[in-house]
C-alpha cells in the first residue's frame, strides 16, 4: 500500500512540475512568450525596465530582455550575434550596424535633441558672458560659437567678471561622456565640429585635420569622462554643480523626471539647448524576426509610444509628448530650428580617432 501511495505522489508532483513549466512560459491569459534579447544605449534602460512596457510587449507574446552598452561600443565591441536587435542612439551608428550585419531595415520610434543640464547660478553667469540667451519662446539657448571662444581662451569660472555665485577655479567646460564609447558625447562633438568647420558638416580628412586642434580642448580638458550617459546624469542629479556645472544630456533624460514629478529635478536646475544642436534619433536595427517585431511595436503601438513619451522621448506620434509638456510646464524648446545633421559614422569616427591620439 505504501508503495502505491509513493507512486501516486510521484505522479502528482510530476504533473505539478509540467503545469508550472507551461504556466511559466505563458502570460495568465496570453500566448506563449518569446524571449527577445537586445542591446541598447544605457539612457533607454529605465524605459525597458518599466513594468508597463514589459506588459505591453507581453500582450504581443514577447518578453524583451536588454543589456546596455555605449552606442559606439555597440558598433565596435559588442558581439551582436547574441542579440535579436541592436538599439543605439543615433542614425550613423545604426546605419553602420545595418551595413555590417546585412540588415534590411531600421526603425526610429523616437528621438531626443541634445541639450545641456545646468543650474540657475551657472546659467546667470553664462548670460553675462553672452554664451546663453533667451529664445523668446520659454527656453534658453547656448551659443556654441561663443562657448568655443571661451574654451580657446581657457576661461575659468572665477575669471568671469561679477561672479560671486560660483567661484570655482576650474575651466568653463561642458561635461560630456567619453567620446570613444558614448553617443551623447559624439553627438555633442558633431555640433561643435559643425561650428568649427565654418558651419558645415565635416566631409573630408582635410577638414578633420584642420578642426581637430580647435575642438580637442573642449573634450580633452574635461579630464575623466563617464562611459555612459546614465552614469553622468546620475552624478548631475546627486552631486550638483560642484561636480558638474554643465552636462551634455539627452533632453529625454531631464524631461523623464519632470514628467514623473519625482522630485529629482530641483528648483535651481535648468535645461538649455545648444545652438546648433543635433537630434539623437534612437534607431533600432533588427537582427532577427523577433527583433523586427520589437521595432514595429515600438514605432506603431500607441501604448508603447505613450510610454516612451512619458520617459521624455519625442515620438513619431507627438500628441502624448505635447500633452505632457503642457501638463507639467516643462521648459521645452517646442520648435527646434537650429538643428544640424551629424557627419557619417566614418567621418565622425575619424575625428574621434584623431582627437583620441592626443588623449592624456
Amino acid at each position: 500500500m505504501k508503495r502505491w501511495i509513493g507512486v501516486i505522489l510521484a505522479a502528482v508532483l510530476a504533473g505539478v512540475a509540467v503545469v508550472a513549466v507551461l504556466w511559466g512560459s505563458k502570460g495568465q491569459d496570453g500566448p506563449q512568450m518569446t524571449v527577445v534579447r537586445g542591446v541598447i544605449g544605457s539612457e533607454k534602460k529605465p524605459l525597458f525596465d518599466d513594468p508597463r512596457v514589459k506588459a505591453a510587449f507581453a500582450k504581443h507574446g514577447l518578453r524583451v530582455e536588454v543589456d546596455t552598452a555605449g552606442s559606439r561600443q555597440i558598433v565596435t565591441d559588442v558581439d551582436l550575434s547574441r542579440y535579436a536587435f541592436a538599439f543605439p542612439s543615433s542614425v550613423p551608428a545604426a546605419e553602420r550596424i545595418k551595413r555590417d550585419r546585412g540588415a534590411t531595415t531600421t526603425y526610429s520610434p523616437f528621438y531626443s535633441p541634445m541639450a545641456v543640464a545646468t543650474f540657475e547660478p551657472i546659467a546667470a553667469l553664462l548670460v553675462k558672458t553672452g554664451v546663453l540667451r533667451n529664445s523668446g519662446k520659454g527656453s534658453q539657448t547656448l551659443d556654441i560659437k561663443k562657448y568655443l571662444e571661451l574654451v580657446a581662451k581657457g576661461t575659468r569660472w572665477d575669471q568671469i567678471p561679477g561672479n560671486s555665485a560660483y567661484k570655482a577655479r576650474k575651466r568653463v567646460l561642458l561635461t560630456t561622456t567619453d567620446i570613444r564609447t558614448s553617443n551623447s558625447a559624439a553627438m555633442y562633438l558633431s555640433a561643435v565640429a559643425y561650428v568649427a568647420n565654418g558651419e558645415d558638416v565635416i566631409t573630408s580628412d582635410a577638414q578633420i585635420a584642420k578642426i581637430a586642434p580647435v575642438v580637442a580642448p573642449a573634450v580633452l580638458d574635461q579630464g575623466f569622462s563617464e562611459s555612459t550617459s546614465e552614469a553622468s546624469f546620475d552624478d548631475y542629479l546627486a552631486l550638483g554643480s560642484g561636480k558638474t556645472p554643465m552636462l551634455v544630456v539627452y533632453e529625454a533624460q531631464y524631461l523623464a523626471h519632470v514628467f514623473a514629478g519625482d522630485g529629482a529635478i530641483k528648483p535651481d536646475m535648468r535645461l538649455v539647448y545648444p545652438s546648433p544642436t543635433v537630434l539623437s534619433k534612437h534607431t533600432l536595427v533588427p537582427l532577427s524576426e523577433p527583433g523586427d517585431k520589437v521595432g514595429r511595436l515600438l514605432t506603431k503601438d500607441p501604448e508603447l509610444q505613450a510610454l516612451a513619451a512619458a520617459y521624455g522621448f519625442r515620438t513619431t506620434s507627438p500628441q502624448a509628448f505635447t500633452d505632457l509638456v503642457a501638463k507639467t510646464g516643462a521648459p521645452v524648446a517646442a520648435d527646434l530650428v537650429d538643428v544640424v545633421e551629424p557627419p557619417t559614422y566614418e567621418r565622425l569616427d575619424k575625428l574621434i580617432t584623431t582627437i583620441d591620439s592626443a588623449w592624456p
Side-chain angles (χ1 to χ4, degrees):
M1 179 62 117
K2 291 182 179 180
R3 186 172 65 84
W4 281 107
I5 290 174
V7 171
I8 292 169
L9 285 174
V12 169
L13 289 173
V16 169
V18 170
V19 169
V21 170
L22 292 174
W23 184 262
S25 67
K26 298 183 179 183
Q28 289 184 338
D29 298 307
Q32 185 170 339
M33 294 291 108
T34 298
V35 177
V36 188
R37 293 195 60 79
V39 57
I40 65 174
S42 63
E43 69 291 329
K44 293 185 283 291
K45 186 69 158 54
L47 172 65
F48 278 86
D49 283 347
D50 191 309
R52 297 170 296 174
V53 172
K54 292 179 180 293
F57 280 125
K59 291 177 184 177
H60 299 275
L62 302 180
R63 187 167 80 238
V64 179
E65 300 177 352
V66 295
D67 296 324
T68 62
S71 291
R72 289 181 53 76
Q73 284 180 306
I74 296 174
V75 178
T76 57
D77 299 334
V78 173
D79 178 8
L80 293 179
S81 65
R82 300 168 50 210
Y83 298 103
F85 66 90
F87 200 178
S89 304
S90 72
V91 172
E95 287 298 321
R96 176 63 181 267
I97 295 168
K98 178 185 175 184
R99 188 182 70 209
D100 289 350
R101 301 293 299 182
T104 58
T105 189
T106 60
Y107 296 94
S108 296
F110 42 75
Y111 68 96
S112 187
M114 300 312 302
V116 174
T118 186
F119 300 86
E120 175 54 37
I122 303 299
L125 288 174
L126 294 175
V127 169
K128 284 185 177 183
T129 64
V131 171
L132 196 67
R133 65 180 185 276
N134 291 325
S135 67
K137 298 181 180 180
S139 60
Q140 292 181 300
T141 58
L142 187 147
D143 190 314
I144 291 293
K145 184 175 182 180
K146 291 182 178 179
Y147 164 71
L148 285 178
E149 292 172 0
L150 287 184
V151 173
K153 294 175 184 176
T155 305
R156 300 180 183 274
W157 289 106
D158 62 353
Q159 294 175 331
I160 297 175
N163 174 10
S164 60
Y166 189 73
K167 292 188 175 183
R169 299 184 63 184
K170 58 186 177 183
R171 298 270 299 275
V172 178
L173 286 168
L174 288 162
T175 298
T176 72
T177 45
D178 191 330
I179 59 169
R180 296 168 294 187
T181 60
S182 175
N183 178 71
S184 61
M187 292 299 96
Y188 159 73
L189 184 61
S190 297
V192 170
Y194 180 92
V195 173
N197 194 42
E199 300 192 340
D200 204 0
V201 178
I202 54 173
T203 57
S204 70
D205 289 353
Q207 291 172 337
I208 290 170
K210 181 178 179 181
I211 69 169
V214 178
V215 301
V219 176
L220 301 181
D221 292 353
Q222 296 177 53
F224 172 77
S225 297
E226 294 284 356
S227 60
T228 68
S229 54
E230 186 179 29
S232 61
F233 191 64
D234 285 345
D235 280 353
Y236 167 80
L237 294 176
L239 302 179
S241 60
K243 170 71 164 60
T244 312
M246 303 184 296
L247 175 67
V248 175
V249 298
Y250 297 107
E251 176 196 60
Q253 290 178 282
Y254 192 100
L255 292 184
H257 292 288
V258 175
F259 293 165
D262 57 14
I265 302 300
K266 305 299 190 293
D268 69 334
M269 291 178 173
R270 296 290 180 269
L271 182 70
V272 303
Y273 293 84
S275 178
T277 190
V278 176
L279 300 184
S280 180
K281 293 179 69 176
H282 296 259
T283 303
L284 186 148
V285 185
L287 305 174
S288 68
E289 193 284 326
D292 188 76
K293 188 174 181 180
V294 171
R296 292 197 309 270
L297 288 171
L298 284 170
T299 306
K300 298 182 180 298
D301 184 83
E303 184 178 7
L304 286 168
Q305 284 274 291
L307 288 168
Y311 278 88
F313 294 107
R314 302 188 185 216
T315 63
T316 52
S317 302
Q319 192 59 51
F321 180 88
T322 302
D323 290 346
L324 285 166
V325 170
K327 179 181 178 181
T328 60
V332 171
D335 300 316
L336 289 166
V337 176
D338 195 7
V339 176
V340 299
E341 291 295 326
T344 64
Y345 182 88
E346 288 73 21
R347 293 298 180 196
L348 186 56
D349 187 62
K350 175 72 173 181
L351 177 59
I352 290 171
T353 301
T354 302
I355 294 172
D356 185 32
S357 67
W359 204 276

